[in-house]
Amino acid sequence: MNLRTLHRLSAFLIAAFAAVHIANHLASLASISAHLRFMEVARALYRQPFVEGILLACVTFQCASGLWLVFAGWKQRRGTVAWVQAASGFYLALFLLIHVAAVMFGRAALGLDTNFFYAAAGIHVPPFQYFFVPYYFLAVVALFIHLGCAVYWSGPAAVRGRTLAVGVAAVGGAVVSLLLVLSLAGKIQPFEVPASYRSTYVRAGG
């Protein structure tokens, strides 16, 4: 197997987890308690030490291999889709590195339950919302677009509609991402972020 094949295999596992993770956040559109109940069930599987270890290894490999593929193929890349795939993959790699590190730090160093409130806290403490709103929004859009590009390259070259996959993925990602950000911002289900989560940003903000 070459690096690109291993990258794709790793992507399947990460995409499966991402689907569960996004579904978990979409549950917050019904209520925060629905989100937390969903998370409790999902965690029973993905927080098993063996499963979590595999996921963390896949994320590490995916980011490293993805960044390598982006820079190694820089001069050979041709066409809009190829550049969109590279850009979305680059952003995803950076997001995963930051996001996973933040979650592990929250659990190990801060002793916090890295649940909905942990994800939402930064949006509710000015001026951090100016970072976290685009940070979350672009991550979900980039994920959908990157998957749309994968569909594009796997489809027969003669099929005209395969280009549509990238556009549909971008629009779908934007809609899902907007809903998730509005939910985290408390615009759909108003909520109060507990002080234990807000305090980290309050201290950081001086």
Side-chain angles (χ1 to χ4, degrees):
M1 291 187 182
N2 58 28
L3 182 63
R4 193 175 297 276
T5 301
L6 291 173
H7 183 79
R8 289 170 180 166
L9 290 175
S10 176
F12 282 121
L13 290 176
I14 295 174
F17 173 76
V20 173
H21 193 60
I22 290 173
N24 192 173
H25 276 286
L26 287 174
S28 68
L29 300 177
S31 68
I32 307 303
S33 59
H35 166 88
L36 296 176
R37 287 195 302 270
F38 189 114
M39 177 174 281
E40 184 177 356
V41 173
R43 279 180 174 179
L45 172 61
Y46 69 72
R47 283 220 175 164
Q48 293 293 325
F50 177 72
V51 177
E52 187 171 50
I54 290 177
L55 284 171
L56 289 174
C58 284
V59 167
T60 303
F61 172 76
Q62 197 72 11
C63 292
S65 61
L67 290 173
W68 172 262
L69 290 170
V70 166
F71 291 110
W74 196 263
K75 294 182 179 180
Q76 291 76 36
R77 193 164 287 109
R78 297 290 184 273
T80 302
V81 174
W83 282 104
V84 167
Q85 184 180 32
S88 60
F90 181 77
Y91 185 83
L92 279 176
L94 294 183
F95 174 82
L96 286 172
L97 288 172
I98 296 170
H99 193 62
V100 171
V103 169
M104 301 308 291
F105 179 79
R107 287 165 55 181
L110 302 179
L112 294 172
D113 182 2
T114 52
N115 55 22
F116 180 87
F117 298 113
Y118 186 73
I123 297 178
H124 292 260
V125 181
F128 296 100
Q129 71 271 25
Y130 297 113
F131 169 78
F132 282 103
V133 168
Y135 167 76
Y136 286 130
F137 181 85
L138 291 176
V140 178
V141 173
L143 174 63
F144 274 68
I145 289 176
H146 205 62
L147 293 174
C149 290
V151 172
Y152 174 91
W153 292 118
S154 63
V159 179
R160 295 181 180 178
R162 73 174 190 165
T163 306
L164 188 62
V166 181
V168 170
V171 174
V175 171
V176 171
S177 193
L178 179 61
L179 290 173
L180 294 182
V181 170
L182 288 174
S183 178
L184 289 171
K187 303 301 182 182
I188 296 177
Q189 296 288 341
F191 60 89
E192 186 69 28
V193 177
S196 57
Y197 293 94
R198 294 174 59 91
S199 63
T200 302
Y201 293 98
V202 170
R203 290 197 299 270

